[in-house]
């Protein structure tokens, strides 16, 4: 009996070795085997598949995938005051990979609680938990695969306005999840400068700030 396959893992999941076996959207790809490597909070798999190249030849390939679920993030902006509301928190993976202190400035967001949870529902919840703001209308910007070479995650990007009327509590994240989140309000132009200096080095945040400058609330004629 193996957790995640025929007995529930810590998140109550089974059949994790079946994911991908029923894919038929691309006739040039034939999945042969899926092997579960680990299933703690996230899921690691090795998949063996046949791939038909452009010249018609077939090769057998093997890829590892990291499945952490899908996510959503949102840019909070005040168009009148020309500010954005971001967060700062410790991220161990970037700390161990060369970031000076591991403290990243980011747009708020997080993972979907369930596979069928709508990203807008998830991002509203995460924004409220992290920043203390309960937003009204949200604008869907785009959906992006952030690291398609190995990570399955698809992130949905949103934007919404904030102000005194949207502040409903203190924010800062959830203690039970070990979150210690600082809220950072910045002039929009200062945030753009921080991309150039490397003070903002988070991909989703850079993408939303650049969208805001090119097409969003801070677009100039």
């Amino acid at each position: 009996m193996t957790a995640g396959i025929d007995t529930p893992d810590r998140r109550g999941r089974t059949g994790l070795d079946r994911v991908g076996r029923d894919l038929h959207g691309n006739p040039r790809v034939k999945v042969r085997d899926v092997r579960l490597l680990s299933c703690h909070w996230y899921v690691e798999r090795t998949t063996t598949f046949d791939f038909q190249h452009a010249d018609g030849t077939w090769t057998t390939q093997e890829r590892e995938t990291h499945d952490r679920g899908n996510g959503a993030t949102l840019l909070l902006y005040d168009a009148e005051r020309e500010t954005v509301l971001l967060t700062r928190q410790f991220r161990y993976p970037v700390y161990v990979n060369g970031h000076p202190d591991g403290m990243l400035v980011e747009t708020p967001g997080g993972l979907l609680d369930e596979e069928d949870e709508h990203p807008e529902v998830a991002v509203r919840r995460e924004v409220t938990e992290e920043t203390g703001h309960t937003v009204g209308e949200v604008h869907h910007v785009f959906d992006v695969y952030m690291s398609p070479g190995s990570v399955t995650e698809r992130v949905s990007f949103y934007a919404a306005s904030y102000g005194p009327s949207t502040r409903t509590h203190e924010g800062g994240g959830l203690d039970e999840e070990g979150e210690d989140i600082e809220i950072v309000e910045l002039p929009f132009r200062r945030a753009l400068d921080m991309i150039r200096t490397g003070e903002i080095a988070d991909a989703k945040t850079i993408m939303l700030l650049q969208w805001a400058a090119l097409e969003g609330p801070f677009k100039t004629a």
Side-chain angles (χ1 to χ4, degrees), residues 33-54:
D33 184 55
V34 179
R35 184 160 54 94
L36 184 65
L37 301 179
S38 67
C39 57
H40 187 57
W41 187 254
Y42 305 139
V43 181
E44 306 285 346
R45 300 179 181 89
T46 292
T47 299
T48 304
F49 59 92
D50 295 333
F51 179 75
Q52 185 182 35
H53 296 264

Side-chain angles (χ1 to χ4, degrees), residues 61-77:
Q61 302 186 14
E62 187 176 81
R63 295 289 185 273
E64 289 187 9
T65 55
H66 177 75
D67 183 355
R68 63 192 302 269
N70 294 322
T73 187
L74 184 146
L75 177 67
L76 288 166
Y77 64 87

Side-chain angles (χ1 to χ4, degrees), residues 105-152:
V105 177
E106 307 176 44
T107 51
L111 296 178
L112 280 55
D113 275 353
E114 304 292 340
E115 288 186 8
D116 59 352
E117 183 178 34
H118 195 283
E120 183 179 321
V121 174
V123 83
R124 287 179 178 277
R125 177 187 64 249
E126 294 293 332
V127 167
T128 302
E129 291 175 357
E130 295 185 9
T131 71
H133 285 263
T134 301
V135 296
E137 182 180 359
V138 301
H139 172 68
H140 177 247
V141 180
F142 38 58
D143 299 318
V144 176
Y145 292 96
M146 298 295 288
S147 186
S150 59
V151 182
T152 62

